[in-house]
Amino acid sequence: MTYVFITFFVLLFLNIYCSDASKELFYQSKKTSMLERCYLAADQIAQLEVINPEGISEALQQMEGLNVSRMIVVDQNGKAVFDSQQEDIGKYILFPEVIHALEFNDAFTWEYQFRSGSMLSRAATPIVSYGTTIGSVYMMEIDSQQGRLLHSLQSNVLQITFLLELILIIFSLAFSKTFSRRLQKIMQSMKIIQEGNYTHKVTIGGSDELTALGDEFNDLTERLQTSEQKRRRFVSDASHELKTPLASIKLLTDSILQNDMDNETIREFVGDIGDEAERLNRMTAKLLSLTKVDGQLEEESEIIYMAPTIRRAAKRLSVIADQSFIDIHLNLENDTPVLILEDDLYQIVFNLMENGIKYNVPDGELTVSLSRSEDNAVIEVSDTGMGIPEDALGHVFERFFRVDKARSRASGGSGLGLAIVRAIVQRNRGDIQVESILGKGTTFTVSFPAFDTEVDKG
Amino acid sequence: MKKYKSLISIALLFLFLTGCDFLSGEDKAAFYYLRTPDTYAYGEADSVIAPEFRDCSGKMNNLHYLLTLYLEGPLDSVYQSPFPEGTHIVSMQHSGTSLSIELSEEFTLLTGMDQTLAGACLAQTCFALHNTHQVHIYATSQTYETVSLTLSREDLVFMDGISGTTSTQ
């Protein structure tokens, strides 16, 4: 409705402007024409020796038709000495136009008579003879043709204005109805989504911005649905994983309390309780780490070479590597700077190397290599461990996924390590792949965009 | 009863307050003066000369008094007096519906259309105040030159009466 009002006032303004402009045009044209005729008559009359009706008539006859409705000639006292209508000869003509003219000014007035549709024009000029005003010529014209023209022009413009406004109103009503119907659809869909039905999709016809909005809305709900499914699965997995060690602890404590046991058995059970508690502790730490990775704000990355961080992780893991009789080999000559958080890199490398030690065979090897592949810096972590079955390769990065649950539990695994690694790699714009041959070993390949300082900083 | 008395009092008060004009309409004199040029009403009867109404209660029959008051000039600034300052009545004579007014010598200072307009204003005033059909106005200057003007109602044309009857193609 606001739009309709605005356009109405704009059209009204244009209408008024157009009307005024056309009136002004007619006015100027008529004024020039009338005054010129007055000048002509005044010049002719000024040449007469005696101003009387006969002399004036004769003078006017010599001119071409003046084409006016009435002409009056007055003397310097305002008394009419000539009247084309023969009405007011000898009377005092006290028209304001005549008074102006006798004061040595040209006068012109104009009015539009709505009743007759005519233009009524009046003009008067002084008659000057030898520098003295001796009288005045007054002319009046009623022009019905021009009046009709002006009226017709104004009438047409007004009609066009109303027609345009009517079309605009109809269009606006139709458009707003369609628009609000489509918008209503989206609003209703939002309400359905709010109630938790993420499978709902909205269908908006057409190919405009509202359609695009509908498509975006559907994408959003799809992502919401996926996110909700992941959340539910995670909660379900997490509660299951946490429940297991807690159940073990409960069982062990119940056994201790309910049965008479020797100190050695009690010590053994308490040791098991401790192990389960430690596992619970590690699991909650990794859950916390994963939550942090998921919700972490973008920190300022730095350009670093990866070799120092890898060496640091290797040193940290050397103790358990020695305990497991695993040799760690580092091939770090082809180092390339990358844009990454140093802590993130450490965690990635540490987790992969730790897995490579945990799931290795005695006297096995763990090799970490750096290389350059086109625009990427590549880290390879290879072990000579038991390997991963082919059908499990696609799931190793899923949360709580373990190839061999029994083995993982024995080695303290929670199934979150690789999920954390992948989340961190992806957050740093990298990629991680895994290849494995059962019984021979596994290779994890992590790549990040190389940051060659001379090219990329420029 | 009290209620009715109050109503009647209010009605009378209303009449007195707003009906002053109504009750004393006959005591208003119409004095014709010139409009100021920027207030000319083109195409109307009162285009150049228009009446200013004055309250002259109790004096409406005294023409000499009224015309003397008239010649003092208008009160409203939209009007202006057509007479030179100091113009006054020297003598007046009635004869049937004709009125003869001798004005002081200041009137002789007016010429041409100025004289005509002054005469027209005075004549119109006389036509409105008195049962007058014709007014003869004259004055004598110090050099004994006499100016005179005789005006009747029909002699004064204030607006063009020819309209809508003849059109130009």
Side-chain angles (χ1 to χ4, degrees), chain A residues 157-190:
Chain A
V157 170
L158 195 65
Q159 281 173 8
I160 290 169
T161 302
F162 277 122
L163 186 66
L164 277 174
E165 191 62 23
L166 189 66
I167 292 169
L168 201 68
I169 288 169
I170 292 168
F171 175 75
S172 296
L173 284 172
F175 177 77
S176 66
K177 202 175 173 185
T178 310
F179 184 81
S180 20
R181 196 177 59 236
R182 295 164 86 206
L183 202 58
Q184 201 66 23
K185 249 184 167 178
I186 294 177
M187 299 292 288
Q188 279 169 359
S189 297
M190 278 185 187

PDB file of all heavy atoms in Angstrom, chain A residues 157-190:
ATOM      1  N   VAL A 157      -4.443  13.860 -19.658  1.00  0.00           N
ATOM      2  CA  VAL A 157      -3.362  13.555 -18.701  1.00  0.00           C
ATOM      3  C   VAL A 157      -3.950  12.991 -17.411  1.00  0.00           C
ATOM      4  O   VAL A 157      -3.438  12.031 -16.843  1.00  0.00           O
ATOM      5  CB  VAL A 157      -2.518  14.824 -18.415  1.00  0.00           C
ATOM      6  CG1 VAL A 157      -1.571  14.592 -17.256  1.00  0.00           C
ATOM      7  CG2 VAL A 157      -1.745  15.239 -19.648  1.00  0.00           C
ATOM      8  N   LEU A 158      -5.063  13.597 -16.981  1.00  0.00           N
ATOM      9  CA  LEU A 158      -5.702  13.126 -15.748  1.00  0.00           C
ATOM     10  C   LEU A 158      -6.213  11.696 -15.913  1.00  0.00           C
ATOM     11  O   LEU A 158      -6.055  10.846 -15.025  1.00  0.00           O
ATOM     12  CB  LEU A 158      -6.857  14.064 -15.403  1.00  0.00           C
ATOM     13  CG  LEU A 158      -7.401  13.949 -13.974  1.00  0.00           C
ATOM     14  CD1 LEU A 158      -6.349  14.381 -12.980  1.00  0.00           C
ATOM     15  CD2 LEU A 158      -8.634  14.816 -13.831  1.00  0.00           C
ATOM     16  N   GLN A 159      -6.805  11.432 -17.075  1.00  0.00           N
ATOM     17  CA  GLN A 159      -7.333  10.085 -17.319  1.00  0.00           C
ATOM     18  C   GLN A 159      -6.210   9.058 -17.343  1.00  0.00           C
ATOM     19  O   GLN A 159      -6.333   7.976 -16.766  1.00  0.00           O
ATOM     20  CB  GLN A 159      -8.093  10.057 -18.656  1.00  0.00           C
ATOM     21  CG  GLN A 159      -9.475  10.646 -18.561  1.00  0.00           C
ATOM     22  CD  GLN A 159     -10.133  10.759 -19.918  1.00  0.00           C
ATOM     23  OE1 GLN A 159      -9.632  10.273 -20.915  1.00  0.00           O
ATOM     24  NE2 GLN A 159     -11.280  11.415 -19.942  1.00  0.00           N
ATOM     25  N   ILE A 160      -5.114   9.435 -18.006  1.00  0.00           N
ATOM     26  CA  ILE A 160      -3.968   8.517 -18.075  1.00  0.00           C
ATOM     27  C   ILE A 160      -3.426   8.263 -16.668  1.00  0.00           C
ATOM     28  O   ILE A 160      -3.082   7.143 -16.314  1.00  0.00           O
ATOM     29  CB  ILE A 160      -2.866   9.080 -18.996  1.00  0.00           C
ATOM     30  CG1 ILE A 160      -3.353   9.047 -20.453  1.00  0.00           C
ATOM     31  CG2 ILE A 160      -1.564   8.296 -18.864  1.00  0.00           C
ATOM     32  CD1 ILE A 160      -2.476   9.817 -21.406  1.00  0.00           C
ATOM     33  N   THR A 161      -3.396   9.334 -15.884  1.00  0.00           N
ATOM     34  CA  THR A 161      -2.912   9.200 -14.497  1.00  0.00           C
ATOM     35  C   THR A 161      -3.760   8.208 -13.726  1.00  0.00           C
ATOM     36  O   THR A 161      -3.238   7.309 -13.048  1.00  0.00           O
ATOM     37  CB  THR A 161      -2.954  10.565 -13.786  1.00  0.00           C
ATOM     38  OG1 THR A 161      -2.160  11.485 -14.519  1.00  0.00           O
ATOM     39  CG2 THR A 161      -2.450  10.468 -12.363  1.00  0.00           C
ATOM     40  N   PHE A 162      -5.067   8.381 -13.832  1.00  0.00           N
ATOM     41  CA  PHE A 162      -5.955   7.482 -13.084  1.00  0.00           C
ATOM     42  C   PHE A 162      -5.848   6.046 -13.578  1.00  0.00           C
ATOM     43  O   PHE A 162      -5.863   5.101 -12.795  1.00  0.00           O
ATOM     44  CB  PHE A 162      -7.413   7.975 -13.180  1.00  0.00           C
ATOM     45  CG  PHE A 162      -7.731   9.056 -12.194  1.00  0.00           C
ATOM     46  CD1 PHE A 162      -8.183  10.290 -12.628  1.00  0.00           C
ATOM     47  CD2 PHE A 162      -7.549   8.862 -10.842  1.00  0.00           C
ATOM     48  CE1 PHE A 162      -8.450  11.301 -11.718  1.00  0.00           C
ATOM     49  CE2 PHE A 162      -7.817   9.866  -9.923  1.00  0.00           C
ATOM     50  CZ  PHE A 162      -8.265  11.087 -10.373  1.00  0.00           C
ATOM     51  N   LEU A 163      -5.727   5.926 -14.898  1.00  0.00           N
ATOM     52  CA  LEU A 163      -5.613   4.579 -15.472  1.00  0.00           C
ATOM     53  C   LEU A 163      -4.341   3.885 -14.995  1.00  0.00           C
ATOM     54  O   LEU A 163      -4.372   2.720 -14.578  1.00  0.00           O
ATOM     55  CB  LEU A 163      -5.611   4.684 -17.010  1.00  0.00           C
ATOM     56  CG  LEU A 163      -5.654   3.353 -17.765  1.00  0.00           C
ATOM     57  CD1 LEU A 163      -6.975   2.655 -17.510  1.00  0.00           C
ATOM     58  CD2 LEU A 163      -5.474   3.578 -19.268  1.00  0.00           C
ATOM     59  N   LEU A 164      -3.244   4.648 -15.037  1.00  0.00           N
ATOM     60  CA  LEU A 164      -1.960   4.091 -14.572  1.00  0.00           C
ATOM     61  C   LEU A 164      -2.055   3.679 -13.111  1.00  0.00           C
ATOM     62  O   LEU A 164      -1.565   2.623 -12.720  1.00  0.00           O
ATOM     63  CB  LEU A 164      -0.854   5.136 -14.733  1.00  0.00           C
ATOM     64  CG  LEU A 164      -0.219   5.244 -16.110  1.00  0.00           C
ATOM     65  CD1 LEU A 164       0.754   6.414 -16.139  1.00  0.00           C
ATOM     66  CD2 LEU A 164       0.490   3.974 -16.501  1.00  0.00           C
ATOM     67  N   GLU A 165      -2.675   4.549 -12.338  1.00  0.00           N
ATOM     68  CA  GLU A 165      -2.802   4.269 -10.902  1.00  0.00           C
ATOM     69  C   GLU A 165      -3.651   3.032 -10.666  1.00  0.00           C
ATOM     70  O   GLU A 165      -3.344   2.208  -9.796  1.00  0.00           O
ATOM     71  CB  GLU A 165      -3.399   5.494 -10.200  1.00  0.00           C
ATOM     72  CG  GLU A 165      -3.330   5.427  -8.688  1.00  0.00           C
ATOM     73  CD  GLU A 165      -1.918   5.371  -8.147  1.00  0.00           C
ATOM     74  OE1 GLU A 165      -0.998   5.810  -8.861  1.00  0.00           O
ATOM     75  OE2 GLU A 165      -1.745   4.875  -7.036  1.00  0.00           O
ATOM     76  N   LEU A 166      -4.706   2.911 -11.450  1.00  0.00           N
ATOM     77  CA  LEU A 166      -5.583   1.742 -11.318  1.00  0.00           C
ATOM     78  C   LEU A 166      -4.828   0.457 -11.656  1.00  0.00           C
ATOM     79  O   LEU A 166      -4.909  -0.547 -10.925  1.00  0.00           O
ATOM     80  CB  LEU A 166      -6.788   1.905 -12.274  1.00  0.00           C
ATOM     81  CG  LEU A 166      -7.901   0.877 -12.108  1.00  0.00           C
ATOM     82  CD1 LEU A 166      -8.579   1.040 -10.770  1.00  0.00           C
ATOM     83  CD2 LEU A 166      -8.929   1.030 -13.233  1.00  0.00           C
ATOM     84  N   ILE A 167      -4.070   0.516 -12.751  1.00  0.00           N
ATOM     85  CA  ILE A 167      -3.272  -0.655 -13.151  1.00  0.00           C
ATOM     86  C   ILE A 167      -2.271  -0.997 -12.051  1.00  0.00           C
ATOM     87  O   ILE A 167      -2.073  -2.165 -11.701  1.00  0.00           O
ATOM     88  CB  ILE A 167      -2.543  -0.385 -14.487  1.00  0.00           C
ATOM     89  CG1 ILE A 167      -3.551  -0.288 -15.627  1.00  0.00           C
ATOM     90  CG2 ILE A 167      -1.510  -1.470 -14.794  1.00  0.00           C
ATOM     91  CD1 ILE A 167      -2.983   0.225 -16.927  1.00  0.00           C
ATOM     92  N   LEU A 168      -1.688   0.057 -11.513  1.00  0.00           N
ATOM     93  CA  LEU A 168      -0.694  -0.134 -10.448  1.00  0.00           C
ATOM     94  C   LEU A 168      -1.311  -0.782  -9.219  1.00  0.00           C
ATOM     95  O   LEU A 168      -0.730  -1.681  -8.601  1.00  0.00           O
ATOM     96  CB  LEU A 168      -0.130   1.230 -10.081  1.00  0.00           C
ATOM     97  CG  LEU A 168       1.214   1.214  -9.391  1.00  0.00           C
ATOM     98  CD1 LEU A 168       2.280   0.751 -10.356  1.00  0.00           C
ATOM     99  CD2 LEU A 168       1.538   2.609  -8.896  1.00  0.00           C
ATOM    100  N   ILE A 169      -2.508  -0.317  -8.867  1.00  0.00           N
ATOM    101  CA  ILE A 169      -3.196  -0.872  -7.691  1.00  0.00           C
ATOM    102  C   ILE A 169      -3.505  -2.350  -7.923  1.00  0.00           C
ATOM    103  O   ILE A 169      -3.255  -3.197  -7.056  1.00  0.00           O
ATOM    104  CB  ILE A 169      -4.485  -0.077  -7.384  1.00  0.00           C
ATOM    105  CG1 ILE A 169      -4.121   1.304  -6.823  1.00  0.00           C
ATOM    106  CG2 ILE A 169      -5.363  -0.822  -6.387  1.00  0.00           C
ATOM    107  CD1 ILE A 169      -5.291   2.250  -6.730  1.00  0.00           C
ATOM    108  N   ILE A 170      -4.017  -2.647  -9.103  1.00  0.00           N
ATOM    109  CA  ILE A 170      -4.368  -4.049  -9.410  1.00  0.00           C
ATOM    110  C   ILE A 170      -3.103  -4.919  -9.367  1.00  0.00           C
ATOM    111  O   ILE A 170      -3.090  -5.992  -8.748  1.00  0.00           O
ATOM    112  CB  ILE A 170      -5.051  -4.155 -10.796  1.00  0.00           C
ATOM    113  CG1 ILE A 170      -6.435  -3.488 -10.752  1.00  0.00           C
ATOM    114  CG2 ILE A 170      -5.194  -5.615 -11.240  1.00  0.00           C
ATOM    115  CD1 ILE A 170      -7.075  -3.280 -12.094  1.00  0.00           C
ATOM    116  N   PHE A 171      -2.071  -4.400 -10.024  1.00  0.00           N
ATOM    117  CA  PHE A 171      -0.811  -5.153 -10.056  1.00  0.00           C
ATOM    118  C   PHE A 171      -0.254  -5.360  -8.652  1.00  0.00           C
ATOM    119  O   PHE A 171       0.189  -6.451  -8.288  1.00  0.00           O
ATOM    120  CB  PHE A 171       0.201  -4.416 -10.943  1.00  0.00           C
ATOM    121  CG  PHE A 171       1.554  -5.046 -10.950  1.00  0.00           C
ATOM    122  CD1 PHE A 171       1.789  -6.222 -11.649  1.00  0.00           C
ATOM    123  CD2 PHE A 171       2.589  -4.477 -10.238  1.00  0.00           C
ATOM    124  CE1 PHE A 171       3.038  -6.820 -11.636  1.00  0.00           C
ATOM    125  CE2 PHE A 171       3.837  -5.069 -10.235  1.00  0.00           C
ATOM    126  CZ  PHE A 171       4.068  -6.233 -10.926  1.00  0.00           C
ATOM    127  N   SER A 172      -0.282  -4.282  -7.862  1.00  0.00           N
ATOM    128  CA  SER A 172       0.260  -4.362  -6.493  1.00  0.00           C
ATOM    129  C   SER A 172      -0.512  -5.368  -5.658  1.00  0.00           C
ATOM    130  O   SER A 172       0.086  -6.145  -4.907  1.00  0.00           O
ATOM    131  CB  SER A 172       0.190  -3.003  -5.817  1.00  0.00           C
ATOM    132  OG  SER A 172       1.006  -2.100  -6.485  1.00  0.00           O
ATOM    133  N   LEU A 173      -1.825  -5.329  -5.793  1.00  0.00           N
ATOM    134  CA  LEU A 173      -2.662  -6.264  -5.021  1.00  0.00           C
ATOM    135  C   LEU A 173      -2.345  -7.712  -5.421  1.00  0.00           C
ATOM    136  O   LEU A 173      -2.145  -8.573  -4.561  1.00  0.00           O
ATOM    137  CB  LEU A 173      -4.151  -5.976  -5.265  1.00  0.00           C
ATOM    138  CG  LEU A 173      -4.709  -4.748  -4.540  1.00  0.00           C
ATOM    139  CD1 LEU A 173      -6.118  -4.442  -5.004  1.00  0.00           C
ATOM    140  CD2 LEU A 173      -4.688  -4.946  -3.039  1.00  0.00           C
ATOM    141  N   ALA A 174      -2.257  -7.931  -6.733  1.00  0.00           N
ATOM    142  CA  ALA A 174      -1.982  -9.288  -7.215  1.00  0.00           C
ATOM    143  C   ALA A 174      -0.596  -9.744  -6.766  1.00  0.00           C
ATOM    144  O   ALA A 174      -0.424 -10.852  -6.267  1.00  0.00           O
ATOM    145  CB  ALA A 174      -2.083  -9.326  -8.744  1.00  0.00           C
ATOM    146  N   PHE A 175       0.364  -8.844  -6.934  1.00  0.00           N
ATOM    147  CA  PHE A 175       1.747  -9.190  -6.573  1.00  0.00           C
ATOM    148  C   PHE A 175       1.872  -9.463  -5.081  1.00  0.00           C
ATOM    149  O   PHE A 175       2.496 -10.443  -4.661  1.00  0.00           O
ATOM    150  CB  PHE A 175       2.686  -8.056  -6.994  1.00  0.00           C
ATOM    151  CG  PHE A 175       4.102  -8.291  -6.612  1.00  0.00           C
ATOM    152  CD1 PHE A 175       4.900  -9.170  -7.322  1.00  0.00           C
ATOM    153  CD2 PHE A 175       4.653  -7.640  -5.508  1.00  0.00           C
ATOM    154  CE1 PHE A 175       6.220  -9.399  -6.957  1.00  0.00           C
ATOM    155  CE2 PHE A 175       5.958  -7.864  -5.140  1.00  0.00           C
ATOM    156  CZ  PHE A 175       6.743  -8.739  -5.862  1.00  0.00           C
ATOM    157  N   SER A 176       1.283  -8.570  -4.283  1.00  0.00           N
ATOM    158  CA  SER A 176       1.436  -8.729  -2.829  1.00  0.00           C
ATOM    159  C   SER A 176       0.735  -9.995  -2.356  1.00  0.00           C
ATOM    160  O   SER A 176       1.202 -10.676  -1.451  1.00  0.00           O
ATOM    161  CB  SER A 176       0.913  -7.505  -2.090  1.00  0.00           C
ATOM    162  OG  SER A 176      -0.464  -7.404  -2.256  1.00  0.00           O
ATOM    163  N   LYS A 177      -0.376 -10.329  -3.020  1.00  0.00           N
ATOM    164  CA  LYS A 177      -1.087 -11.559  -2.648  1.00  0.00           C
ATOM    165  C   LYS A 177      -0.207 -12.779  -2.944  1.00  0.00           C
ATOM    166  O   LYS A 177      -0.035 -13.662  -2.099  1.00  0.00           O
ATOM    167  CB  LYS A 177      -2.384 -11.642  -3.453  1.00  0.00           C
ATOM    168  CG  LYS A 177      -3.426 -12.547  -2.812  1.00  0.00           C
ATOM    169  CD  LYS A 177      -4.732 -12.500  -3.569  1.00  0.00           C
ATOM    170  CE  LYS A 177      -5.680 -13.528  -3.027  1.00  0.00           C
ATOM    171  NZ  LYS A 177      -6.912 -13.611  -3.791  1.00  0.00           N
ATOM    172  N   THR A 178       0.363 -12.792  -4.133  1.00  0.00           N
ATOM    173  CA  THR A 178       1.225 -13.914  -4.521  1.00  0.00           C
ATOM    174  C   THR A 178       2.445 -13.968  -3.618  1.00  0.00           C
ATOM    175  O   THR A 178       2.832 -15.032  -3.136  1.00  0.00           O
ATOM    176  CB  THR A 178       1.681 -13.743  -5.985  1.00  0.00           C
ATOM    177  OG1 THR A 178       0.555 -13.476  -6.794  1.00  0.00           O
ATOM    178  CG2 THR A 178       2.395 -14.989  -6.485  1.00  0.00           C
ATOM    179  N   PHE A 179       3.038 -12.817  -3.418  1.00  0.00           N
ATOM    180  CA  PHE A 179       4.247 -12.733  -2.598  1.00  0.00           C
ATOM    181  C   PHE A 179       3.976 -13.228  -1.183  1.00  0.00           C
ATOM    182  O   PHE A 179       4.745 -14.030  -0.641  1.00  0.00           O
ATOM    183  CB  PHE A 179       4.733 -11.278  -2.585  1.00  0.00           C
ATOM    184  CG  PHE A 179       6.020 -11.083  -1.854  1.00  0.00           C
ATOM    185  CD1 PHE A 179       7.236 -11.364  -2.460  1.00  0.00           C
ATOM    186  CD2 PHE A 179       6.026 -10.629  -0.544  1.00  0.00           C
ATOM    187  CE1 PHE A 179       8.429 -11.185  -1.778  1.00  0.00           C
ATOM    188  CE2 PHE A 179       7.210 -10.452   0.141  1.00  0.00           C
ATOM    189  CZ  PHE A 179       8.413 -10.733  -0.472  1.00  0.00           C
ATOM    190  N   SER A 180       2.878 -12.742  -0.593  1.00  0.00           N
ATOM    191  CA  SER A 180       2.632 -13.140   0.807  1.00  0.00           C
ATOM    192  C   SER A 180       2.254 -14.604   0.905  1.00  0.00           C
ATOM    193  O   SER A 180       2.580 -15.267   1.886  1.00  0.00           O
ATOM    194  CB  SER A 180       1.557 -12.335   1.509  1.00  0.00           C
ATOM    195  OG  SER A 180       0.749 -11.723   0.712  1.00  0.00           O
ATOM    196  N   ARG A 181       1.634 -15.133  -0.139  1.00  0.00           N
ATOM    197  CA  ARG A 181       1.296 -16.559  -0.107  1.00  0.00           C
ATOM    198  C   ARG A 181       2.572 -17.395  -0.089  1.00  0.00           C
ATOM    199  O   ARG A 181       2.706 -18.354   0.674  1.00  0.00           O
ATOM    200  CB  ARG A 181       0.443 -16.910  -1.325  1.00  0.00           C
ATOM    201  CG  ARG A 181      -0.282 -18.255  -1.196  1.00  0.00           C
ATOM    202  CD  ARG A 181      -1.200 -18.588  -2.355  1.00  0.00           C
ATOM    203  NE  ARG A 181      -0.492 -18.640  -3.600  1.00  0.00           N
ATOM    204  CZ  ARG A 181      -0.815 -17.901  -4.663  1.00  0.00           C
ATOM    205  NH1 ARG A 181      -1.835 -17.077  -4.618  1.00  0.00           N
ATOM    206  NH2 ARG A 181      -0.126 -17.974  -5.780  1.00  0.00           N
ATOM    207  N   ARG A 182       3.520 -16.996  -0.921  1.00  0.00           N
ATOM    208  CA  ARG A 182       4.786 -17.744  -0.990  1.00  0.00           C
ATOM    209  C   ARG A 182       5.577 -17.578   0.297  1.00  0.00           C
ATOM    210  O   ARG A 182       6.180 -18.527   0.810  1.00  0.00           O
ATOM    211  CB  ARG A 182       5.598 -17.280  -2.197  1.00  0.00           C
ATOM    212  CG  ARG A 182       4.916 -17.606  -3.525  1.00  0.00           C
ATOM    213  CD  ARG A 182       5.518 -16.809  -4.633  1.00  0.00           C
ATOM    214  NE  ARG A 182       6.682 -17.474  -5.180  1.00  0.00           N
ATOM    215  CZ  ARG A 182       7.675 -16.853  -5.782  1.00  0.00           C
ATOM    216  NH1 ARG A 182       7.688 -15.553  -5.865  1.00  0.00           N
ATOM    217  NH2 ARG A 182       8.676 -17.533  -6.290  1.00  0.00           N
ATOM    218  N   LEU A 183       5.556 -16.373   0.806  1.00  0.00           N
ATOM    219  CA  LEU A 183       6.282 -16.100   2.053  1.00  0.00           C
ATOM    220  C   LEU A 183       5.650 -16.872   3.203  1.00  0.00           C
ATOM    221  O   LEU A 183       6.348 -17.390   4.086  1.00  0.00           O
ATOM    222  CB  LEU A 183       6.222 -14.597   2.340  1.00  0.00           C
ATOM    223  CG  LEU A 183       7.301 -14.023   3.251  1.00  0.00           C
ATOM    224  CD1 LEU A 183       8.674 -14.290   2.672  1.00  0.00           C
ATOM    225  CD2 LEU A 183       7.112 -12.529   3.421  1.00  0.00           C
ATOM    226  N   GLN A 184       4.334 -16.953   3.176  1.00  0.00           N
ATOM    227  CA  GLN A 184       3.590 -17.696   4.198  1.00  0.00           C
ATOM    228  C   GLN A 184       4.026 -19.162   4.216  1.00  0.00           C
ATOM    229  O   GLN A 184       4.166 -19.771   5.268  1.00  0.00           O
ATOM    230  CB  GLN A 184       2.095 -17.593   3.878  1.00  0.00           C
ATOM    231  CG  GLN A 184       1.168 -17.850   5.052  1.00  0.00           C
ATOM    232  CD  GLN A 184       1.288 -16.796   6.119  1.00  0.00           C
ATOM    233  OE1 GLN A 184       1.722 -15.678   5.864  1.00  0.00           O
ATOM    234  NE2 GLN A 184       0.947 -17.125   7.322  1.00  0.00           N
ATOM    235  N   LYS A 185       4.263 -19.673   3.020  1.00  0.00           N
ATOM    236  CA  LYS A 185       4.710 -21.077   2.898  1.00  0.00           C
ATOM    237  C   LYS A 185       6.029 -21.271   3.649  1.00  0.00           C
ATOM    238  O   LYS A 185       6.208 -22.242   4.392  1.00  0.00           O
ATOM    239  CB  LYS A 185       4.938 -21.400   1.416  1.00  0.00           C
ATOM    240  CG  LYS A 185       3.939 -22.370   0.817  1.00  0.00           C
ATOM    241  CD  LYS A 185       4.351 -22.668  -0.614  1.00  0.00           C
ATOM    242  CE  LYS A 185       3.606 -23.842  -1.155  1.00  0.00           C
ATOM    243  NZ  LYS A 185       3.944 -24.140  -2.537  1.00  0.00           N
ATOM    244  N   ILE A 186       6.934 -20.328   3.427  1.00  0.00           N
ATOM    245  CA  ILE A 186       8.245 -20.431   4.078  1.00  0.00           C
ATOM    246  C   ILE A 186       8.075 -20.318   5.588  1.00  0.00           C
ATOM    247  O   ILE A 186       8.701 -21.068   6.358  1.00  0.00           O
ATOM    248  CB  ILE A 186       9.210 -19.349   3.541  1.00  0.00           C
ATOM    249  CG1 ILE A 186       9.508 -19.606   2.061  1.00  0.00           C
ATOM    250  CG2 ILE A 186      10.496 -19.308   4.339  1.00  0.00           C
ATOM    251  CD1 ILE A 186      10.384 -18.574   1.408  1.00  0.00           C
ATOM    252  N   MET A 187       7.227 -19.389   6.015  1.00  0.00           N
ATOM    253  CA  MET A 187       6.997 -19.201   7.456  1.00  0.00           C
ATOM    254  C   MET A 187       6.447 -20.472   8.091  1.00  0.00           C
ATOM    255  O   MET A 187       6.860 -20.880   9.177  1.00  0.00           O
ATOM    256  CB  MET A 187       6.012 -18.049   7.699  1.00  0.00           C
ATOM    257  CG  MET A 187       6.480 -16.711   7.191  1.00  0.00           C
ATOM    258  SD  MET A 187       7.867 -16.069   8.070  1.00  0.00           S
ATOM    259  CE  MET A 187       7.122 -15.631   9.588  1.00  0.00           C
ATOM    260  N   GLN A 188       5.515 -21.087   7.406  1.00  0.00           N
ATOM    261  CA  GLN A 188       4.921 -22.320   7.930  1.00  0.00           C
ATOM    262  C   GLN A 188       5.967 -23.424   8.018  1.00  0.00           C
ATOM    263  O   GLN A 188       6.007 -24.182   8.985  1.00  0.00           O
ATOM    264  CB  GLN A 188       3.772 -22.781   7.017  1.00  0.00           C
ATOM    265  CG  GLN A 188       2.485 -22.040   7.271  1.00  0.00           C
ATOM    266  CD  GLN A 188       1.438 -22.285   6.214  1.00  0.00           C
ATOM    267  OE1 GLN A 188       1.680 -23.007   5.250  1.00  0.00           O
ATOM    268  NE2 GLN A 188       0.282 -21.687   6.378  1.00  0.00           N
ATOM    269  N   SER A 189       6.824 -23.487   6.994  1.00  0.00           N
ATOM    270  CA  SER A 189       7.895 -24.494   7.006  1.00  0.00           C
ATOM    271  C   SER A 189       8.831 -24.251   8.177  1.00  0.00           C
ATOM    272  O   SER A 189       9.294 -25.191   8.822  1.00  0.00           O
ATOM    273  CB  SER A 189       8.670 -24.454   5.696  1.00  0.00           C
ATOM    274  OG  SER A 189       7.832 -24.782   4.621  1.00  0.00           O
ATOM    275  N   MET A 190       9.111 -22.975   8.436  1.00  0.00           N
ATOM    276  CA  MET A 190       9.994 -22.654   9.571  1.00  0.00           C
ATOM    277  C   MET A 190       9.398 -23.175  10.865  1.00  0.00           C
ATOM    278  O   MET A 190      10.098 -23.711  11.723  1.00  0.00           O
ATOM    279  CB  MET A 190      10.174 -21.139   9.665  1.00  0.00           C
ATOM    280  CG  MET A 190      11.208 -20.592   8.732  1.00  0.00           C
ATOM    281  SD  MET A 190      11.444 -18.841   9.037  1.00  0.00           S
ATOM    282  CE  MET A 190      12.505 -18.455   7.692  1.00  0.00           C
TER     283      MET A 190
END
